[in-house]
Amino acid sequence: MAGMIGWRMLDQEWRKGPWTPEEDDLLIEYVKMHGEGRWSSVAGCSGLKRSGKSCRLRWVNYLRPGLKKGQLTPQEEGIIIELHALWGNKWSTIARYLPGRTDNEIKNYWRTNFKKKKTPSQNRQKQKLKIAFRRDHYRQEVNEKMNSFVFPYKDDNNICKMDDAVAVKSSSSTASEQQQHNQSLTGQDVASWWDIVSEDGFWSEFLWDLGNGHPNQPVMEK
DNA sequence: AAGATTTCCAACCGCCCGAAT
DNA sequence: TATTCGGGCGGTTGGAAATCT
């Protein structure tokens, strides 16, 4: 093929911009034949003039079976807020607990809802404040209202309560320890946990509309 | 009705890490 | 051990759509 060096194409040969239905079909066909991965060889095998990175992104964020379309549910939003308070901008990690949602989607959701205008530095500062506020308020509320509730954060032998989970999480010093703890919490766990605790609606008292000045909470800077 | 502004989201960019050589 | 390469990740951008004035 013209413009190829071995199986690789010169960078300027890659197509960019929005994907066409025809390109999607080619990529789907490729994945059917070869499975996910080996993205750098998609162009050579399928005739797509797209980089491996572009193919992977298209597949993961749009074509992959099982992806949910449409708005995030309140449950999913709650999970995002909660996990973000624990882990920060670990979008791919958060996405693992939201089956059918992509890291890109979650990242966009967060930006849309929690990063408002202003300058980047102001945004960062505000974001830190929000997270710190949310975490502290969250712990306090949890202590008061849910001390007897079984949080689905599990270690090898026990089912821990929510505050234990937070404590275990924050006391895990090494990356591998943290990863181990992270992995012990499944998306299903979180989802079912959320279904139960959201029934009486008390989460909305402090998780939703941050900064809108709920009567029972400090008013956040706008 | 029309132009301006804001929101949303698909896609790209650059960096990092681990595996292969 | 050093280098190369592919894949994954978070940050950012650009443009279409929606909303506002």
Side-chain angles (χ1 to χ4, degrees):
Chain A
M1 187 190 291
M4 302 276 285
I5 301 175
W7 56 270
R8 303 182 65 189
M9 295 176 74
L10 294 169
D11 277 351
Q12 60 266 31
E13 298 286 337
W14 298 126
R15 243 184 65 74
K16 290 184 181 180
W19 282 63
T20 65
E22 292 74 24
E23 288 178 314
D24 283 345
D25 289 342
L26 285 173
L27 184 54
I28 290 166
E29 271 310 303
Y30 174 86
V31 175
K32 274 184 191 169
M33 298 280 289
H34 302 90
E36 290 186 46
R38 295 142 59 136
W39 300 113
S40 59
S41 56
V42 175
C45 296
S46 68
L48 263 176
K49 292 187 173 184
R50 293 278 184 173
S51 69
K53 274 191 171 189
S54 182
C55 291
R56 177 190 158 272
L57 205 64
R58 182 64 178 175
W59 177 258
V60 167
N61 287 336
Y62 198 82
L63 297 176
R64 192 175 55 183
L67 288 179
K68 290 182 189 170
K69 308 287 181 186
Q71 278 202 316
L72 293 160
T73 65
Q75 283 89 346
E76 289 172 322
E77 290 174 347
I79 290 168
I80 292 169
I81 291 167
E82 208 36 59
L83 296 183
H84 188 277
L86 285 173
W87 300 329
N89 295 359
K90 300 292 179 186
W91 308 118
S92 59
T93 307
I94 294 171
R96 289 189 197 118
Y97 299 103
L98 293 165
R101 300 296 186 181
T102 69
D103 56 352
N104 209 32
E105 202 174 359
I106 294 166
K107 185 166 56 182
N108 282 333
Y109 164 77
W110 190 265
R111 281 187 64 82
T112 298
N113 290 278
F114 297 101
K115 300 245 179 177
K116 299 294 183 189
K117 294 144 231 142
K118 294 195 171 184
T119 67
S121 64
Q122 282 175 314
N123 273 336
R124 276 193 294 276
Q125 214 167 7
K126 189 179 171 186
Q127 179 72 358
K128 282 179 183 174
L129 281 172
K130 277 186 176 177
I131 291 170
F133 164 80
R134 200 161 45 236
R135 185 180 58 240
D136 293 346
H137 202 84
Y138 159 79
R139 285 181 178 169
Q140 192 183 341
E141 288 282 342
V142 165
N143 279 335
E144 288 170 5
K145 296 187 176 183
M146 295 185 60
N147 204 30
S148 61
F149 186 81
V150 178
F151 183 68
Y153 188 101
K154 303 161 189 167
D155 63 18
D156 291 341
N157 304 309
N158 304 306
I159 295 175
C160 302
K161 292 177 183 178
M162 182 181 289
D163 205 46
D164 296 332
V166 174
V168 166
K169 171 68 192 168
S170 55
S171 68
S172 301
S173 51
T174 68
S176 63
E177 276 176 345
Q178 295 233 353
Q179 193 175 9
Q180 195 181 349
H181 288 306
N182 295 350
Q183 285 168 349
S184 65
L185 181 63
T186 68
Q188 202 173 14
D189 285 338
V190 174
S192 55
W193 158 73
W194 179 268
D195 283 343
I196 294 166
V197 302
S198 63
E199 275 174 7
D200 65 4
F202 79 87
W203 286 108
S204 60
E205 292 177 15
F206 59 96
L207 286 179
W208 306 137
D209 299 325
L210 291 164
N212 285 345
H214 185 279
N216 295 331
Q217 74 184 36
V219 177
M220 293 288 295
E221 167 229 4
K222 282 201 175 181

